[in-house]
Amino acid sequence: MNENSTPEHPSFTQALLVWIKIGVLSFGGPAGQIGLMHKELVEDRRWISEARFLHALNYCMLLPGPEAQQLATYVGWLLHGWRGGVAAGVLFVMPGFIVILALATGYALFQQLDWVASIFFGLKAAVLAVVIEALLRVARRALKNGLSYGLAAGAFVALFFFAVPFPAVVLVAGLVGYGVARQRPDLLSGGGHAPSGPAQGARAVIDDATVQVSPSWGRALAVVGVWGGLWIAPLLLVVAIRGWDNTLTDIFVFFSQMAVVTFGGAYAVLAYVASEAVDTFGWMQAGEMLDGLALAETTPGPLVLVLSFVGYIAGFRQSFGLDPLWGGLLGASLATWVTFVPCFLWIFLGAPYIERLRSNVALAGALAAITAAVVGVIFNLALWFALHVIFNEVGRVKAGPISVAWPVWVTLDWAAVVLTVLATVSLFLMHWGVLRTLALSALAGLLLQWLV
């Protein structure tokens, strides 16, 4: 293909095949997923230009929810309208959802087997190393000056020492960033980054000259009506059949809240989700949340699919008068629905306004502040995971407004410490990557059981 010629606009069927490929191969978290889309869509096929790809990515980073899935939805919308966006977004999630369903079913049925418990014992250590690696990666991108470090530290202190709700931390950080950017825009800057694109001058199907739908009140109301209706439809059905006081309603309300505040990706909300699922709703034990994250790390698609695992375990154990397997499927499907349907609403509603949003310095400042605060949130998550991985018992010390998780030191698990060190060496020194590190840790946990 001549670099200066414009590629042929892909058919809907051609696009479907590419979205399926991306959905199946989208391992490695947001960085790996965005890199894969960049290679497939910008470099190899030139379906979208480098500038438009970054344009879309910057917008998606302003939104709650998994930015990679939203980026796929946005590019699909650019190529084939709403049906292209729906296809791209669904196919990005569906392979991972199917895999997590199978893994969650196996986990729920065989969790009590000694060899399964040993594998997950090893996986928990790997998850801790992966979270630490994510913390360092986000920190390198987000912490650029004293203000960003202060926001990260403040978020950590608020969560770890005062148990401030995660949504409040996100809201305050965004308001601080918005205010600072209006007065001193040089102190905060936001935006996404992707790998280098095709040579300068290369044409693309979607470039800066491509005109999309113009925003209008009528279109906005129609989008809100359709996607807002789809979002709330399961709740109306559940309430009509079972009323308000049941686990399905709790799943809908809780995960709908998460869909609105998941800035910074799955790592940013996992500690909050774990705390609520364990302490407030009693759906699972603390260690099981780590098991779910380990399973989500091994699947393609957004890491936030760990919420599907939480929904499955909640549904499996409550079962709603059904066979537990059907209850698990119902719980997982509902959690997944309310996690991802809002993503389509954000994209289809906001895409026509993207130019205005990108040029708004105050909104960019709010994003940068939230991203900085997310570093503190992930640090809190890493510490929460570390305590529950290497100690068998973790209590809580309270003194006035301060409430701190505190380990029972005599329950220190030296085997967990050894496996964590092994996973850290694999990930940081040997550079084996997430999947190989998870496999190594699972095998080490199994071998440890045989030895002991």
Side-chain angles (χ1 to χ4, degrees), residues 59-67 70 141 166-167 169-171 174 257-269 346 366-367 369-371 373-375 377-378:
Y59 171 62
C60 293
M61 290 187 67
L62 285 168
L63 303 173
E67 62 265 34
Q70 291 169 331
R141 185 186 71 182
F166 171 77
V169 173
V170 170
L171 176 62
Q257 292 172 348
M258 291 302 96
V260 177
V261 299
T262 49
F263 296 93
Y267 286 120
V269 294
W346 313 145
L367 170 64
I370 291 171
T371 304
V374 161
V375 177
V377 175
I378 298 176

PDB file of all heavy atoms in Angstrom, residues 59-67 70 141 166-167 169-171 174 257-269 346 366-367 369-371 373-375 377-378:
ATOM      1  N   TYR A  59      -9.705  11.841  25.076  1.00  0.00           N
ATOM      2  CA  TYR A  59     -11.090  11.948  25.533  1.00  0.00           C
ATOM      3  C   TYR A  59     -11.458  10.781  26.444  1.00  0.00           C
ATOM      4  O   TYR A  59     -12.072  10.967  27.503  1.00  0.00           O
ATOM      5  CB  TYR A  59     -12.027  11.999  24.330  1.00  0.00           C
ATOM      6  CG  TYR A  59     -13.481  11.899  24.695  1.00  0.00           C
ATOM      7  CD1 TYR A  59     -14.079  12.875  25.487  1.00  0.00           C
ATOM      8  CD2 TYR A  59     -14.261  10.828  24.276  1.00  0.00           C
ATOM      9  CE1 TYR A  59     -15.421  12.786  25.838  1.00  0.00           C
ATOM     10  CE2 TYR A  59     -15.592  10.733  24.618  1.00  0.00           C
ATOM     11  CZ  TYR A  59     -16.158  11.714  25.397  1.00  0.00           C
ATOM     12  OH  TYR A  59     -17.482  11.624  25.748  1.00  0.00           O
ATOM     13  N   CYS A  60     -11.069   9.570  26.035  1.00  0.00           N
ATOM     14  CA  CYS A  60     -11.412   8.394  26.833  1.00  0.00           C
ATOM     15  C   CYS A  60     -10.774   8.447  28.214  1.00  0.00           C
ATOM     16  O   CYS A  60     -11.329   7.922  29.187  1.00  0.00           O
ATOM     17  CB  CYS A  60     -10.988   7.120  26.101  1.00  0.00           C
ATOM     18  SG  CYS A  60     -11.918   6.813  24.577  1.00  0.00           S
ATOM     19  N   MET A  61      -9.622   9.072  28.322  1.00  0.00           N
ATOM     20  CA  MET A  61      -8.970   9.184  29.619  1.00  0.00           C
ATOM     21  C   MET A  61      -9.692  10.155  30.548  1.00  0.00           C
ATOM     22  O   MET A  61      -9.467  10.152  31.759  1.00  0.00           O
ATOM     23  CB  MET A  61      -7.512   9.589  29.448  1.00  0.00           C
ATOM     24  CG  MET A  61      -6.653   8.494  28.844  1.00  0.00           C
ATOM     25  SD  MET A  61      -4.908   8.919  28.842  1.00  0.00           S
ATOM     26  CE  MET A  61      -4.566   8.936  30.605  1.00  0.00           C
ATOM     27  N   LEU A  62     -10.559  10.991  29.999  1.00  0.00           N
ATOM     28  CA  LEU A  62     -11.373  11.885  30.830  1.00  0.00           C
ATOM     29  C   LEU A  62     -12.540  11.157  31.479  1.00  0.00           C
ATOM     30  O   LEU A  62     -13.181  11.685  32.387  1.00  0.00           O
ATOM     31  CB  LEU A  62     -11.937  13.033  29.990  1.00  0.00           C
ATOM     32  CG  LEU A  62     -10.998  14.157  29.574  1.00  0.00           C
ATOM     33  CD1 LEU A  62     -11.670  15.031  28.529  1.00  0.00           C
ATOM     34  CD2 LEU A  62     -10.576  14.982  30.779  1.00  0.00           C
ATOM     35  N   LEU A  63     -12.828   9.938  31.023  1.00  0.00           N
ATOM     36  CA  LEU A  63     -14.056   9.249  31.407  1.00  0.00           C
ATOM     37  C   LEU A  63     -13.808   8.220  32.495  1.00  0.00           C
ATOM     38  O   LEU A  63     -12.714   7.667  32.603  1.00  0.00           O
ATOM     39  CB  LEU A  63     -14.651   8.540  30.184  1.00  0.00           C
ATOM     40  CG  LEU A  63     -14.969   9.404  28.968  1.00  0.00           C
ATOM     41  CD1 LEU A  63     -15.375   8.518  27.803  1.00  0.00           C
ATOM     42  CD2 LEU A  63     -16.069  10.407  29.301  1.00  0.00           C
ATOM     43  N   PRO A  64     -14.836   7.929  33.303  1.00  0.00           N
ATOM     44  CA  PRO A  64     -14.749   6.754  34.171  1.00  0.00           C
ATOM     45  C   PRO A  64     -14.857   5.492  33.330  1.00  0.00           C
ATOM     46  O   PRO A  64     -15.419   5.505  32.242  1.00  0.00           O
ATOM     47  CB  PRO A  64     -15.968   6.913  35.091  1.00  0.00           C
ATOM     48  CG  PRO A  64     -16.935   7.713  34.285  1.00  0.00           C
ATOM     49  CD  PRO A  64     -16.100   8.645  33.445  1.00  0.00           C
ATOM     50  N   GLY A  65     -14.294   4.411  33.828  1.00  0.00           N
ATOM     51  CA  GLY A  65     -14.372   3.151  33.107  1.00  0.00           C
ATOM     52  C   GLY A  65     -13.073   2.809  32.412  1.00  0.00           C
ATOM     53  O   GLY A  65     -12.127   3.597  32.401  1.00  0.00           O
ATOM     54  N   PRO A  66     -13.012   1.620  31.801  1.00  0.00           N
ATOM     55  CA  PRO A  66     -11.789   1.153  31.129  1.00  0.00           C
ATOM     56  C   PRO A  66     -11.526   1.930  29.842  1.00  0.00           C
ATOM     57  O   PRO A  66     -12.290   1.826  28.880  1.00  0.00           O
ATOM     58  CB  PRO A  66     -12.084  -0.324  30.847  1.00  0.00           C
ATOM     59  CG  PRO A  66     -13.577  -0.407  30.788  1.00  0.00           C
ATOM     60  CD  PRO A  66     -14.095   0.620  31.749  1.00  0.00           C
ATOM     61  N   GLU A  67     -10.446   2.708  29.821  1.00  0.00           N
ATOM     62  CA  GLU A  67     -10.201   3.580  28.671  1.00  0.00           C
ATOM     63  C   GLU A  67      -9.946   2.804  27.385  1.00  0.00           C
ATOM     64  O   GLU A  67     -10.274   3.264  26.297  1.00  0.00           O
ATOM     65  CB  GLU A  67      -9.031   4.531  28.956  1.00  0.00           C
ATOM     66  CG  GLU A  67      -7.699   3.875  29.203  1.00  0.00           C
ATOM     67  CD  GLU A  67      -7.420   3.670  30.667  1.00  0.00           C
ATOM     68  OE1 GLU A  67      -8.369   3.411  31.433  1.00  0.00           O
ATOM     69  OE2 GLU A  67      -6.245   3.759  31.060  1.00  0.00           O
ATOM     70  N   GLN A  70     -13.271   1.795  25.903  1.00  0.00           N
ATOM     71  CA  GLN A  70     -13.933   2.980  25.388  1.00  0.00           C
ATOM     72  C   GLN A  70     -13.258   3.493  24.126  1.00  0.00           C
ATOM     73  O   GLN A  70     -13.925   4.001  23.211  1.00  0.00           O
ATOM     74  CB  GLN A  70     -13.966   4.046  26.478  1.00  0.00           C
ATOM     75  CG  GLN A  70     -14.885   3.673  27.628  1.00  0.00           C
ATOM     76  CD  GLN A  70     -14.727   4.580  28.836  1.00  0.00           C
ATOM     77  OE1 GLN A  70     -13.662   5.134  29.082  1.00  0.00           O
ATOM     78  NE2 GLN A  70     -15.781   4.721  29.605  1.00  0.00           N
ATOM     79  N   ARG A 141       4.161   8.176  35.026  1.00  0.00           N
ATOM     80  CA  ARG A 141       3.410   8.988  34.074  1.00  0.00           C
ATOM     81  C   ARG A 141       2.726  10.171  34.737  1.00  0.00           C
ATOM     82  O   ARG A 141       2.620  11.250  34.152  1.00  0.00           O
ATOM     83  CB  ARG A 141       2.345   8.113  33.387  1.00  0.00           C
ATOM     84  CG  ARG A 141       1.579   8.821  32.276  1.00  0.00           C
ATOM     85  CD  ARG A 141       0.466   7.966  31.746  1.00  0.00           C
ATOM     86  NE  ARG A 141      -0.624   7.859  32.717  1.00  0.00           N
ATOM     87  CZ  ARG A 141      -1.725   7.124  32.538  1.00  0.00           C
ATOM     88  NH1 ARG A 141      -1.846   6.394  31.454  1.00  0.00           N
ATOM     89  NH2 ARG A 141      -2.683   7.083  33.455  1.00  0.00           N
ATOM     90  N   PHE A 166     -13.863   6.122  48.357  1.00  0.00           N
ATOM     91  CA  PHE A 166     -13.119   6.365  47.125  1.00  0.00           C
ATOM     92  C   PHE A 166     -13.767   7.414  46.233  1.00  0.00           C
ATOM     93  O   PHE A 166     -13.069   8.289  45.694  1.00  0.00           O
ATOM     94  CB  PHE A 166     -12.949   5.047  46.363  1.00  0.00           C
ATOM     95  CG  PHE A 166     -12.391   5.220  44.992  1.00  0.00           C
ATOM     96  CD1 PHE A 166     -11.043   5.450  44.802  1.00  0.00           C
ATOM     97  CD2 PHE A 166     -13.214   5.149  43.875  1.00  0.00           C
ATOM     98  CE1 PHE A 166     -10.531   5.622  43.531  1.00  0.00           C
ATOM     99  CE2 PHE A 166     -12.704   5.311  42.606  1.00  0.00           C
ATOM    100  CZ  PHE A 166     -11.353   5.552  42.435  1.00  0.00           C
ATOM    101  N   PRO A 167     -15.104   7.396  46.023  1.00  0.00           N
ATOM    102  CA  PRO A 167     -15.698   8.434  45.161  1.00  0.00           C
ATOM    103  C   PRO A 167     -15.406   9.849  45.654  1.00  0.00           C
ATOM    104  O   PRO A 167     -15.224  10.765  44.843  1.00  0.00           O
ATOM    105  CB  PRO A 167     -17.192   8.116  45.218  1.00  0.00           C
ATOM    106  CG  PRO A 167     -17.259   6.660  45.544  1.00  0.00           C
ATOM    107  CD  PRO A 167     -16.106   6.407  46.462  1.00  0.00           C
ATOM    108  N   VAL A 169     -12.716  10.852  47.225  1.00  0.00           N
ATOM    109  CA  VAL A 169     -11.313  11.150  46.890  1.00  0.00           C
ATOM    110  C   VAL A 169     -11.209  11.600  45.436  1.00  0.00           C
ATOM    111  O   VAL A 169     -10.541  12.587  45.108  1.00  0.00           O
ATOM    112  CB  VAL A 169     -10.418   9.927  47.148  1.00  0.00           C
ATOM    113  CG1 VAL A 169      -9.002  10.177  46.650  1.00  0.00           C
ATOM    114  CG2 VAL A 169     -10.398   9.586  48.636  1.00  0.00           C
ATOM    115  N   VAL A 170     -11.887  10.881  44.537  1.00  0.00           N
ATOM    116  CA  VAL A 170     -11.871  11.233  43.113  1.00  0.00           C
ATOM    117  C   VAL A 170     -12.491  12.609  42.889  1.00  0.00           C
ATOM    118  O   VAL A 170     -11.951  13.448  42.146  1.00  0.00           O
ATOM    119  CB  VAL A 170     -12.622  10.164  42.292  1.00  0.00           C
ATOM    120  CG1 VAL A 170     -12.820  10.634  40.854  1.00  0.00           C
ATOM    121  CG2 VAL A 170     -11.865   8.857  42.309  1.00  0.00           C
ATOM    122  N   LEU A 171     -13.609  12.871  43.552  1.00  0.00           N
ATOM    123  CA  LEU A 171     -14.306  14.144  43.372  1.00  0.00           C
ATOM    124  C   LEU A 171     -13.441  15.311  43.845  1.00  0.00           C
ATOM    125  O   LEU A 171     -13.301  16.318  43.134  1.00  0.00           O
ATOM    126  CB  LEU A 171     -15.635  14.131  44.134  1.00  0.00           C
ATOM    127  CG  LEU A 171     -16.442  15.431  44.112  1.00  0.00           C
ATOM    128  CD1 LEU A 171     -16.835  15.782  42.684  1.00  0.00           C
ATOM    129  CD2 LEU A 171     -17.682  15.311  44.995  1.00  0.00           C
ATOM    130  N   GLY A 174     -10.509  15.910  41.469  1.00  0.00           N
ATOM    131  CA  GLY A 174     -10.943  16.555  40.239  1.00  0.00           C
ATOM    132  C   GLY A 174     -11.241  18.033  40.432  1.00  0.00           C
ATOM    133  O   GLY A 174     -10.882  18.864  39.587  1.00  0.00           O
ATOM    134  N   GLN A 257     -22.531   2.349  40.732  1.00  0.00           N
ATOM    135  CA  GLN A 257     -21.718   3.390  41.353  1.00  0.00           C
ATOM    136  C   GLN A 257     -20.272   3.286  40.890  1.00  0.00           C
ATOM    137  O   GLN A 257     -19.626   4.302  40.588  1.00  0.00           O
ATOM    138  CB  GLN A 257     -21.797   3.274  42.876  1.00  0.00           C
ATOM    139  CG  GLN A 257     -23.151   3.597  43.459  1.00  0.00           C
ATOM    140  CD  GLN A 257     -23.221   3.275  44.946  1.00  0.00           C
ATOM    141  OE1 GLN A 257     -22.350   2.619  45.488  1.00  0.00           O
ATOM    142  NE2 GLN A 257     -24.281   3.728  45.591  1.00  0.00           N
ATOM    143  N   MET A 258     -19.748   2.074  40.828  1.00  0.00           N
ATOM    144  CA  MET A 258     -18.360   1.885  40.382  1.00  0.00           C
ATOM    145  C   MET A 258     -18.181   2.343  38.938  1.00  0.00           C
ATOM    146  O   MET A 258     -17.124   2.866  38.567  1.00  0.00           O
ATOM    147  CB  MET A 258     -17.958   0.411  40.517  1.00  0.00           C
ATOM    148  CG  MET A 258     -17.837  -0.084  41.948  1.00  0.00           C
ATOM    149  SD  MET A 258     -16.629   0.860  42.917  1.00  0.00           S
ATOM    150  CE  MET A 258     -17.696   2.059  43.737  1.00  0.00           C
ATOM    151  N   ALA A 259     -19.198   2.149  38.113  1.00  0.00           N
ATOM    152  CA  ALA A 259     -19.102   2.553  36.708  1.00  0.00           C
ATOM    153  C   ALA A 259     -18.951   4.053  36.561  1.00  0.00           C
ATOM    154  O   ALA A 259     -18.407   4.540  35.562  1.00  0.00           O
ATOM    155  CB  ALA A 259     -20.342   2.080  35.943  1.00  0.00           C
ATOM    156  N   VAL A 260     -19.405   4.793  37.558  1.00  0.00           N
ATOM    157  CA  VAL A 260     -19.354   6.255  37.488  1.00  0.00           C
ATOM    158  C   VAL A 260     -18.043   6.808  38.041  1.00  0.00           C
ATOM    159  O   VAL A 260     -17.631   7.914  37.692  1.00  0.00           O
ATOM    160  CB  VAL A 260     -20.558   6.856  38.253  1.00  0.00           C
ATOM    161  CG1 VAL A 260     -20.500   8.374  38.278  1.00  0.00           C
ATOM    162  CG2 VAL A 260     -21.865   6.394  37.611  1.00  0.00           C
ATOM    163  N   VAL A 261     -17.349   6.045  38.890  1.00  0.00           N
ATOM    164  CA  VAL A 261     -16.168   6.585  39.578  1.00  0.00           C
ATOM    165  C   VAL A 261     -14.871   5.835  39.264  1.00  0.00           C
ATOM    166  O   VAL A 261     -13.852   6.099  39.896  1.00  0.00           O
ATOM    167  CB  VAL A 261     -16.380   6.591  41.107  1.00  0.00           C
ATOM    168  CG1 VAL A 261     -17.559   7.450  41.473  1.00  0.00           C
ATOM    169  CG2 VAL A 261     -16.536   5.169  41.658  1.00  0.00           C
ATOM    170  N   THR A 262     -14.869   4.929  38.274  1.00  0.00           N
ATOM    171  CA  THR A 262     -13.661   4.144  38.015  1.00  0.00           C
ATOM    172  C   THR A 262     -12.663   4.917  37.155  1.00  0.00           C
ATOM    173  O   THR A 262     -12.217   4.448  36.107  1.00  0.00           O
ATOM    174  CB  THR A 262     -14.002   2.808  37.327  1.00  0.00           C
ATOM    175  OG1 THR A 262     -14.879   3.061  36.217  1.00  0.00           O
ATOM    176  CG2 THR A 262     -14.647   1.848  38.280  1.00  0.00           C
ATOM    177  N   PHE A 263     -12.270   6.106  37.601  1.00  0.00           N
ATOM    178  CA  PHE A 263     -11.174   6.823  36.959  1.00  0.00           C
ATOM    179  C   PHE A 263      -9.866   6.122  37.319  1.00  0.00           C
ATOM    180  O   PHE A 263      -9.661   5.717  38.458  1.00  0.00           O
ATOM    181  CB  PHE A 263     -11.122   8.273  37.445  1.00  0.00           C
ATOM    182  CG  PHE A 263     -12.330   9.079  37.082  1.00  0.00           C
ATOM    183  CD1 PHE A 263     -13.393   9.195  37.959  1.00  0.00           C
ATOM    184  CD2 PHE A 263     -12.414   9.717  35.850  1.00  0.00           C
ATOM    185  CE1 PHE A 263     -14.510   9.942  37.637  1.00  0.00           C
ATOM    186  CE2 PHE A 263     -13.530  10.465  35.515  1.00  0.00           C
ATOM    187  CZ  PHE A 263     -14.579  10.576  36.406  1.00  0.00           C
ATOM    188  N   GLY A 264      -8.975   5.997  36.331  1.00  0.00           N
ATOM    189  CA  GLY A 264      -7.679   5.403  36.629  1.00  0.00           C
ATOM    190  C   GLY A 264      -7.634   3.902  36.470  1.00  0.00           C
ATOM    191  O   GLY A 264      -6.633   3.280  36.790  1.00  0.00           O
ATOM    192  N   GLY A 265      -8.711   3.287  35.972  1.00  0.00           N
ATOM    193  CA  GLY A 265      -8.674   1.859  35.727  1.00  0.00           C
ATOM    194  C   GLY A 265      -9.046   1.029  36.947  1.00  0.00           C
ATOM    195  O   GLY A 265      -9.365   1.538  38.021  1.00  0.00           O
ATOM    196  N   ALA A 266      -8.982  -0.296  36.764  1.00  0.00           N
ATOM    197  CA  ALA A 266      -9.450  -1.218  37.788  1.00  0.00           C
ATOM    198  C   ALA A 266      -8.648  -1.119  39.075  1.00  0.00           C
ATOM    199  O   ALA A 266      -9.198  -1.216  40.174  1.00  0.00           O
ATOM    200  CB  ALA A 266      -9.400  -2.652  37.248  1.00  0.00           C
ATOM    201  N   TYR A 267      -7.320  -0.942  38.969  1.00  0.00           N
ATOM    202  CA  TYR A 267      -6.499  -0.915  40.177  1.00  0.00           C
ATOM    203  C   TYR A 267      -6.945   0.185  41.139  1.00  0.00           C
ATOM    204  O   TYR A 267      -6.800   0.064  42.347  1.00  0.00           O
ATOM    205  CB  TYR A 267      -5.032  -0.693  39.814  1.00  0.00           C
ATOM    206  CG  TYR A 267      -4.359  -1.893  39.201  1.00  0.00           C
ATOM    207  CD1 TYR A 267      -3.814  -1.822  37.921  1.00  0.00           C
ATOM    208  CD2 TYR A 267      -4.263  -3.088  39.891  1.00  0.00           C
ATOM    209  CE1 TYR A 267      -3.189  -2.920  37.353  1.00  0.00           C
ATOM    210  CE2 TYR A 267      -3.656  -4.194  39.319  1.00  0.00           C
ATOM    211  CZ  TYR A 267      -3.111  -4.108  38.057  1.00  0.00           C
ATOM    212  OH  TYR A 267      -2.507  -5.184  37.491  1.00  0.00           O
ATOM    213  N   ALA A 268      -7.464   1.269  40.589  1.00  0.00           N
ATOM    214  CA  ALA A 268      -7.820   2.405  41.421  1.00  0.00           C
ATOM    215  C   ALA A 268      -9.022   2.128  42.321  1.00  0.00           C
ATOM    216  O   ALA A 268      -9.178   2.765  43.359  1.00  0.00           O
ATOM    217  CB  ALA A 268      -8.113   3.627  40.545  1.00  0.00           C
ATOM    218  N   VAL A 269      -9.892   1.170  41.961  1.00  0.00           N
ATOM    219  CA  VAL A 269     -11.100   0.937  42.743  1.00  0.00           C
ATOM    220  C   VAL A 269     -11.124  -0.423  43.424  1.00  0.00           C
ATOM    221  O   VAL A 269     -12.036  -0.708  44.190  1.00  0.00           O
ATOM    222  CB  VAL A 269     -12.370   1.065  41.860  1.00  0.00           C
ATOM    223  CG1 VAL A 269     -12.535   2.478  41.369  1.00  0.00           C
ATOM    224  CG2 VAL A 269     -12.342   0.078  40.708  1.00  0.00           C
ATOM    225  N   TRP A 346     -21.231   7.057  27.713  1.00  0.00           N
ATOM    226  CA  TRP A 346     -20.240   8.147  27.736  1.00  0.00           C
ATOM    227  C   TRP A 346     -19.719   8.439  26.332  1.00  0.00           C
ATOM    228  O   TRP A 346     -19.566   9.597  25.950  1.00  0.00           O
ATOM    229  CB  TRP A 346     -19.056   7.803  28.632  1.00  0.00           C
ATOM    230  CG  TRP A 346     -19.311   7.255  29.996  1.00  0.00           C
ATOM    231  CD1 TRP A 346     -18.556   6.314  30.646  1.00  0.00           C
ATOM    232  CD2 TRP A 346     -20.348   7.607  30.927  1.00  0.00           C
ATOM    233  NE1 TRP A 346     -19.066   6.046  31.886  1.00  0.00           N
ATOM    234  CE2 TRP A 346     -20.167   6.836  32.097  1.00  0.00           C
ATOM    235  CE3 TRP A 346     -21.423   8.493  30.884  1.00  0.00           C
ATOM    236  CZ2 TRP A 346     -21.003   6.921  33.204  1.00  0.00           C
ATOM    237  CZ3 TRP A 346     -22.264   8.581  31.990  1.00  0.00           C
ATOM    238  CH2 TRP A 346     -22.059   7.814  33.120  1.00  0.00           C
ATOM    239  N   ALA A 366      -8.338  18.753  35.575  1.00  0.00           N
ATOM    240  CA  ALA A 366      -9.069  17.840  36.441  1.00  0.00           C
ATOM    241  C   ALA A 366      -8.627  16.404  36.204  1.00  0.00           C
ATOM    242  O   ALA A 366      -8.438  15.627  37.150  1.00  0.00           O
ATOM    243  CB  ALA A 366     -10.573  17.984  36.202  1.00  0.00           C
ATOM    244  N   LEU A 367      -8.448  16.025  34.936  1.00  0.00           N
ATOM    245  CA  LEU A 367      -7.981  14.679  34.608  1.00  0.00           C
ATOM    246  C   LEU A 367      -6.600  14.427  35.186  1.00  0.00           C
ATOM    247  O   LEU A 367      -6.338  13.372  35.776  1.00  0.00           O
ATOM    248  CB  LEU A 367      -7.947  14.489  33.090  1.00  0.00           C
ATOM    249  CG  LEU A 367      -7.239  13.208  32.612  1.00  0.00           C
ATOM    250  CD1 LEU A 367      -7.988  11.976  33.087  1.00  0.00           C
ATOM    251  CD2 LEU A 367      -7.085  13.204  31.107  1.00  0.00           C
ATOM    252  N   ALA A 369      -5.179  15.818  37.742  1.00  0.00           N
ATOM    253  CA  ALA A 369      -5.258  15.724  39.194  1.00  0.00           C
ATOM    254  C   ALA A 369      -5.799  14.373  39.631  1.00  0.00           C
ATOM    255  O   ALA A 369      -5.303  13.764  40.587  1.00  0.00           O
ATOM    256  CB  ALA A 369      -6.135  16.852  39.742  1.00  0.00           C
ATOM    257  N   ILE A 370      -6.823  13.895  38.939  1.00  0.00           N
ATOM    258  CA  ILE A 370      -7.378  12.579  39.257  1.00  0.00           C
ATOM    259  C   ILE A 370      -6.337  11.495  39.016  1.00  0.00           C
ATOM    260  O   ILE A 370      -6.178  10.566  39.814  1.00  0.00           O
ATOM    261  CB  ILE A 370      -8.651  12.314  38.430  1.00  0.00           C
ATOM    262  CG1 ILE A 370      -9.783  13.226  38.904  1.00  0.00           C
ATOM    263  CG2 ILE A 370      -9.075  10.858  38.530  1.00  0.00           C
ATOM    264  CD1 ILE A 370     -11.013  13.191  38.027  1.00  0.00           C
ATOM    265  N   THR A 371      -5.589  11.608  37.907  1.00  0.00           N
ATOM    266  CA  THR A 371      -4.550  10.633  37.612  1.00  0.00           C
ATOM    267  C   THR A 371      -3.494  10.613  38.699  1.00  0.00           C
ATOM    268  O   THR A 371      -3.004   9.553  39.101  1.00  0.00           O
ATOM    269  CB  THR A 371      -3.905  10.940  36.251  1.00  0.00           C
ATOM    270  OG1 THR A 371      -4.921  10.977  35.246  1.00  0.00           O
ATOM    271  CG2 THR A 371      -2.894   9.870  35.878  1.00  0.00           C
ATOM    272  N   ALA A 373      -3.952  11.510  41.874  1.00  0.00           N
ATOM    273  CA  ALA A 373      -4.562  10.919  43.069  1.00  0.00           C
ATOM    274  C   ALA A 373      -4.651   9.408  42.954  1.00  0.00           C
ATOM    275  O   ALA A 373      -4.541   8.688  43.956  1.00  0.00           O
ATOM    276  CB  ALA A 373      -5.950  11.517  43.284  1.00  0.00           C
ATOM    277  N   VAL A 374      -4.827   8.907  41.722  1.00  0.00           N
ATOM    278  CA  VAL A 374      -4.915   7.463  41.500  1.00  0.00           C
ATOM    279  C   VAL A 374      -3.642   6.759  41.960  1.00  0.00           C
ATOM    280  O   VAL A 374      -3.681   5.605  42.398  1.00  0.00           O
ATOM    281  CB  VAL A 374      -5.235   7.172  40.023  1.00  0.00           C
ATOM    282  CG1 VAL A 374      -4.897   5.739  39.639  1.00  0.00           C
ATOM    283  CG2 VAL A 374      -6.710   7.448  39.748  1.00  0.00           C
ATOM    284  N   VAL A 375      -2.489   7.437  41.877  1.00  0.00           N
ATOM    285  CA  VAL A 375      -1.246   6.841  42.367  1.00  0.00           C
ATOM    286  C   VAL A 375      -1.371   6.516  43.853  1.00  0.00           C
ATOM    287  O   VAL A 375      -0.997   5.432  44.307  1.00  0.00           O
ATOM    288  CB  VAL A 375      -0.046   7.775  42.111  1.00  0.00           C
ATOM    289  CG1 VAL A 375       1.230   7.174  42.700  1.00  0.00           C
ATOM    290  CG2 VAL A 375       0.131   8.020  40.626  1.00  0.00           C
ATOM    291  N   VAL A 377      -4.167   6.042  45.418  1.00  0.00           N
ATOM    292  CA  VAL A 377      -5.182   4.994  45.529  1.00  0.00           C
ATOM    293  C   VAL A 377      -4.561   3.622  45.287  1.00  0.00           C
ATOM    294  O   VAL A 377      -4.823   2.656  46.021  1.00  0.00           O
ATOM    295  CB  VAL A 377      -6.326   5.255  44.524  1.00  0.00           C
ATOM    296  CG1 VAL A 377      -7.326   4.110  44.542  1.00  0.00           C
ATOM    297  CG2 VAL A 377      -7.031   6.565  44.848  1.00  0.00           C
ATOM    298  N   ILE A 378      -3.715   3.512  44.262  1.00  0.00           N
ATOM    299  CA  ILE A 378      -3.088   2.228  43.959  1.00  0.00           C
ATOM    300  C   ILE A 378      -2.086   1.848  45.039  1.00  0.00           C
ATOM    301  O   ILE A 378      -1.910   0.667  45.363  1.00  0.00           O
ATOM    302  CB  ILE A 378      -2.422   2.272  42.568  1.00  0.00           C
ATOM    303  CG1 ILE A 378      -3.478   2.530  41.482  1.00  0.00           C
ATOM    304  CG2 ILE A 378      -1.704   0.959  42.260  1.00  0.00           C
ATOM    305  CD1 ILE A 378      -2.904   2.675  40.084  1.00  0.00           C
TER     306      ILE A 378
END
